[in-house]
């Protein structure tokens, strides 16, 4: 069976060639880093036109901003009155977007960085949680595999 990994398709003199990279503990993180590096060096990679980014803008109603693309994504849960919706937190240049589900009910939320007042580590309701204070709400995200990378990128985006 083919192993899952990150596929790089390289354009060259003899036509495209593909390389599959495997063995990463956090493949999505590595993929986003590689996209960032390649897009800085090659005009052939337009991150905003990648299928994943077009779908993200559509999913969260952000079609008005066609330049948005995913910088990072993290598995986590959004805590609300009914429980915790397990899903993913997507970080773009201007928004945090969460999509998850609880008991088959879908949860979607979008937080503009210009409305975020603070991001703090917290241990409630579970370890590896963060508290996000916005101008209109306060949210808690929990069950991150590792909280430090999340706090690092959010601190960088809010700086």
């Amino acid at each position: 069976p083919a192993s899952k990994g990150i596929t790089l398709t390289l354009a060259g003199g003899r036509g495209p060639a593909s390389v599959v990279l495997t063995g990463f503990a956090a493949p999505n993180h590595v993929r986003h880093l590689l996209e960032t590096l390649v897009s800085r060096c090659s005009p052939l990679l337009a991150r905003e036109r990648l299928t994943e980014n077009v779908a993200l803008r559509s999913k969260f109603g952000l079609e008005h901003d066609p330049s948005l693309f995913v910088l990072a994504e993290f598995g986590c849960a959004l805590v609300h009155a009914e429980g915790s919706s397990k899903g993913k937190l997507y970080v773009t240049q201007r928004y945090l977007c969460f999509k998850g589900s609880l008991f088959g009910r879908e949860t979607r939320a979008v937080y503009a960085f210009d409305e975020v007042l603070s991001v703090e580590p917290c241990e409630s309701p579970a370890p590896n949680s963060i508290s996000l204070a916005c101008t209109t709400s306060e949210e808690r995200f929990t069950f991150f595999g590792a909280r430090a990378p999340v706090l690092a990128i959010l601190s960088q985006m809010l700086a």
Side-chain angles (χ1 to χ4, degrees):
S3 62
K4 288 187 174 183
I6 299 166
T7 302
L8 294 175
T9 303
L10 309 168
R14 297 185 197 178
S18 292
V19 176
V20 178
L21 307 171
T22 61
F24 298 105
N28 283 329
H29 186 68
V30 173
R31 179 173 51 88
H32 294 303
L33 287 173
L34 285 171
E35 287 174 356
T36 299
L37 292 172
V38 172
S39 66
R40 288 181 183 167
C41 301
S42 172
L44 300 176
L45 178 64
R47 292 180 75 185
E48 65 277 2
R49 290 195 309 254
L50 294 174
T51 304
E52 169 194 30
N53 295 313
V54 172
L56 176 108
R57 290 191 302 271
S58 175
K59 185 185 310 180
F60 292 102
L62 300 172
E63 293 93 349
H64 65 279
D65 197 344
S67 66
L68 284 179
F69 54 85
V70 177
L71 297 170
E73 59 187 87
F74 303 97
C76 66
L78 172 61
V79 179
H80 44 85
E82 297 83 31
S84 297
S85 292
K86 185 178 178 183
K88 278 193 176 180
L89 183 66
Y90 300 92
V91 181
T92 73
Q93 302 94 312
R94 289 179 281 290
Y95 301 96
L96 282 175
C97 303
F98 176 82
K99 180 180 183 264
S101 66
L102 175 66
F103 305 125
R105 241 183 41 225
E106 191 172 273
T107 302
R108 291 185 194 186
V110 177
Y111 310 93
F113 278 122
D114 61 0
E115 295 177 2
V116 174
L117 303 172
S118 67
V119 176
E120 303 285 334
C122 62
E123 299 303 323
S124 172
N128 279 342
S129 298
I130 64 169
S131 174
L132 177 75
C134 299
T135 55
T136 58
S137 67
E138 184 170 323
E139 308 291 351
R140 290 193 189 268
F141 295 92
T142 189
F143 300 120
F144 288 102
R147 180 175 53 193
V150 181
L151 290 171
I153 194 165
L154 295 180
S155 296
Q156 187 177 31
M157 298 307 293
L158 294 168

